[in-house]
Amino acid sequence: MTTDTLKKTPLYNWHAANGGRMVDFTGWSMPVQYTSIIDEHNATRNSVGLFDVSHMARFRFDGAEALPFIDGLVTRKVADLKPGRIRYGLVCKEDGGILDDVLTYHLQDVAGQSYTWMVVNAGNREKIAAWINDRLPEGVTFTDHTEQTAMIAVQGPRAMALAQEIVEGDLNELKYYQGREATILSHPGLVSRTGYTGEDGVELTVPAEVAFATWEALHVAAAEVGGHAVGLGARDTLRLEAAMPLYGHELSEEITPLQAGLGFAMSWDHEFIGKSALEAIDQDSLPVRVGLVMQDRRVPREHYPLFSGDQQVGEVTSGSQSPTLGAPIAMGYVAPQFAADGTLLDVDVRGKRHAAKVVPLPFYKRK
Amino acid sequence: MSTDNLLFAKTHEWVKVEESDGAKIATVGISAHAIEALNDLVYLELPEVGKEVTAGESFGEIESVKAVSDIYAPVTGEVIEANTALPDNLDSLHEDAYINGWIAKIKISDDTALADLMDKAGYEKMCAEEG
């Protein structure tokens, strides 16, 4: 794919002009880093990081039956979501495999009218849109707002104070996993308090035409407190330390939610696609997601095989040097009898075995 | 050190060739351009002393936070020395890729591969074209 055919976020020109090393990420030209993955990672842990997450898909549903409709598509019950609440859940196929992990928001406009918002992984946008359109009931309208808006994640210990400088209304009243419409730099937008780094923070969704001004205002203020623009490289090390699964790595159509350790994202007291298959599967025999810390300096990478003695017992799904721990870490799937904390396994690093220990997840939890 | 007399491989290794007791010794490292592109270095695997290496084949590995890359032997011969201080001082590669950043010395047994190496101007042109 040539760069000309890649989709660009409204902040593309900023990234290109500010040292962003642009790569193809699921069809979008995105910055992998500006200066250094470690610098950007540490800025987010210690101060604040700014992430252009405009490539993620943003869907809106209107109509009184919108939430009950989505309730039937996601593993987590959302029909009872109060206005202003957000819930993480999985969209599964009939056989229980994961189509995507999504956030469902129950929002209200200024007139008090309810609507539903959904944030979907960039690489799954077309797949999930088709899944929805094939099932859309009468009276529910579905619109894709991805390209008319930009989404900026502000994450880290200084994130809330930074966002407060440009968002009207007290952000302290916004609790974790809540969202609302907001006036951002005098423009209508959304603010939501979720994140993908293990830090506190918010995402700001703004019209595409004010994305640059919003980002620039945040960037100037962030620079004063040691904050940084953060690319996909550090986004990956941050979420890996926080043990958040990434679609295409820890999650796929061949993985069930319980294997992935996402039992918290399941509510069995409602009907959803895939439920009966998931109830019928003998989960205890399936490989499960574990955390691994290397016992030497070799970095485990995706698809490296995991061994116990001569027996292959699993595979790495994500691995990197952890900037916070100063050690190489990974997530992977292993047969359940090798998943206990403290189990010693070998990672095949390009033909050589290197010891790794199974450890509890997450690797990093903020104090 | 002047980099004017260095040779470069397409795979971003630099080579300095010196005569010693009638033998040609190649000192090999990774170019500053490649170090800058790799950025956050976390691991280096040196070749073993005594190993026979072939031009164009992997004889070491360098790992950044993002990815692992092979280091390719730019010449054919025997590894006679490895820079054992380097794996614990990877940051020094950013400061001087061409002096303390050497990786190994190879006693050249067949110098035909030298003809495939570029001079500094040719290498810089290639890097500029790669973007």
Side-chain angles (χ1 to χ4, degrees):
Chain A
M1 187 178 276
T2 69
T3 46
D4 290 345
T5 61
L6 293 177
K7 290 193 275 289
K8 295 180 169 77
T9 79
L11 295 168
Y12 172 85
N13 288 340
W14 193 94
H15 304 316
N18 287 274
R21 196 176 291 167
M22 308 307 285
V23 298
D24 175 359
F25 181 78
T26 67
W28 290 80
S29 181
M30 298 299 291
V32 67
Q33 65 186 57
Y34 302 88
T35 57
S36 140
I37 290 174
I38 291 175
D39 287 351
E40 293 165 27
H41 181 107
N42 290 339
T44 308
R45 288 274 179 259
N46 301 323
S47 176
V48 63
L50 300 181
F51 304 73
D52 178 10
V53 289
S54 304
H55 60 307
M56 297 191 74
R58 291 172 291 286
F59 296 158
R60 176 175 169 144
F61 302 83
D62 287 277
E65 289 305 306
L67 262 186
F69 164 60
I70 295 163
D71 196 65
L73 299 184
V74 297
T75 55
R76 194 85 170 275
K77 195 167 183 174
V78 295
D80 61 349
L81 264 183
K82 292 189 177 68
R85 301 296 175 110
I86 302 168
R87 226 161 251 174
Y88 176 84
L90 302 155
V91 179
C92 288
K93 294 185 295 178
E94 283 85 355
D95 70 2
I98 300 168
L99 286 169
D100 202 10
D101 59 338
V102 303
L103 290 173
T104 304
Y105 302 49
H106 182 175
L107 296 176
Q108 274 183 337
D109 65 19
V110 284
Q113 189 70 37
S114 279
Y115 63 98
T116 307
W117 191 255
M118 183 185 277
V119 176
V120 168
N121 280 298
N124 292 334
R125 179 178 168 194
E126 285 78 17
K127 181 176 80 173
I128 297 298
W131 189 258
I132 289 164
N133 276 319
D134 285 349
R135 292 163 178 80
L136 202 65
E138 288 281 321
V140 178
T141 58
F142 166 59
T143 42
D144 184 333
H145 287 250
T146 312
E147 287 173 37
Q148 296 81 50
T149 56
M151 183 157 65
I152 298 166
V154 189
Q155 295 271 300
R158 309 295 288 261
M160 298 306 286
L162 194 73
Q164 187 67 75
E165 292 187 26
I166 63 163
V167 179
E168 285 181 21
D170 184 1
L171 282 181
N172 287 320
E173 290 176 6
L174 191 74
K175 305 298 180 209
Y176 197 48
Y177 271 75
Q178 291 188 357
R180 62 171 169 82
E181 290 197 345
T183 302
I184 301 168
L185 282 180
S186 309
H187 294 275
L190 299 176
V191 58
S192 52
R193 194 168 182 175
T194 68
Y196 196 53
T197 61
E199 300 300 327
D200 195 5
V202 291
E203 298 79 38
L204 306 179
T205 303
V206 297
E209 55 273 19
V210 295
F212 188 89
T214 307
W215 178 274
E216 192 60 24
L218 289 166
H219 188 257
V220 167
E224 287 176 12
V225 294
H228 212 295
V230 182
L232 294 175
R235 182 169 159 83
D236 197 49
T237 53
L238 289 158
R239 70 95 195 166
L240 175 61
E241 288 182 353
M244 291 167 173
L246 174 60
Y247 199 86
H249 298 260
E250 286 71 40
L251 308 180
S252 74
E253 294 185 24
E254 282 69 49
I255 298 281
T256 69
L258 289 172
Q259 283 184 267
L262 299 176
F264 75 91
M266 309 298 295
S267 30
W268 299 102
D269 58 344
H270 79 125
E271 290 304 316
F272 59 91
I273 296 171
K275 182 185 177 187
S276 53
L278 289 169
E279 285 174 330
I281 292 171
D282 175 16
Q283 296 285 346
D284 293 344
S285 64
L286 296 176
V288 288
R289 178 162 68 109
V290 296
L292 296 161
V293 173
M294 298 303 288
Q295 305 297 289
D296 64 17
R297 289 161 63 184
R298 284 321 298 261
V299 183
R301 309 275 179 194
E302 188 181 7
H303 299 314
Y304 285 5
L306 295 166
F307 283 88
S308 176
D310 290 334
Q311 184 191 0
Q312 187 179 342
V313 298
E315 190 179 277
V316 171
T317 49
S318 296
S320 189
Q321 174 76 8
S322 161
T324 306
L325 276 65
I329 60 171
M331 291 191 285
Y333 282 88
V334 297
Q337 60 270 39
F338 301 98
D341 292 342
T343 305
L344 278 173
L345 299 173
D346 284 327
V347 184
D348 184 326
V349 180
R350 295 158 62 95
K352 287 185 192 153
R353 302 288 171 86
H354 294 265
K357 189 158 88 176
V358 176
V359 296
L361 293 173
F363 300 99
Y364 166 84
K365 202 164 189 181
R366 73 173 183 270
K367 292 181 186 79
Chain B
M1 182 177 95
S2 166
T3 55
D4 292 344
N5 59 346
L6 297 182
L7 297 172
F8 293 85
K10 281 185 200 137
T11 45
H12 301 286
E13 293 81 14
W14 60 263
V15 183
K16 184 175 146 193
V17 181
E18 290 166 305
E19 300 266 347
S20 170
D21 295 334
K24 278 186 181 167
I25 308 295
T27 303
V28 178
I30 302 167
S31 78
H33 175 87
I35 296 297
E36 203 254 328
L38 289 166
N39 206 326
D40 298 299
L41 300 174
V42 296
Y43 180 82
L44 172 71
E45 184 161 285
L46 296 169
E48 281 173 31
V49 172
K51 185 182 166 76
E52 296 286 341
V53 298
T54 305
E57 291 185 2
S58 173
F59 82 135
E61 294 177 19
I62 189 157
E63 191 130 30
S64 69
V65 169
K66 194 76 195 142
V68 59
S69 310
D70 283 303
I71 307 168
Y72 296 97
V75 296
T76 297
E78 181 192 347
V79 176
I80 55 169
E81 204 178 336
N83 185 356
T84 51
L86 194 56
D88 292 323
N89 294 286
L90 292 176
D91 284 345
S92 73
L93 280 169
H94 288 286
E95 287 134 36
D96 82 56
Y98 300 116
I99 306 171
N100 295 326
W102 67 278
I103 288 170
K105 296 189 181 191
I106 300 171
K107 187 177 172 186
I108 298 173
S109 60
D110 173 354
D111 62 6
T112 50
L114 287 176
D116 296 332
L117 301 176
M118 289 170 271
D119 64 10
K120 188 184 172 191
Y123 177 69
E124 284 177 352
K125 185 164 173 283
M126 184 193 88
C127 291
E129 283 165 1
E130 280 183 358

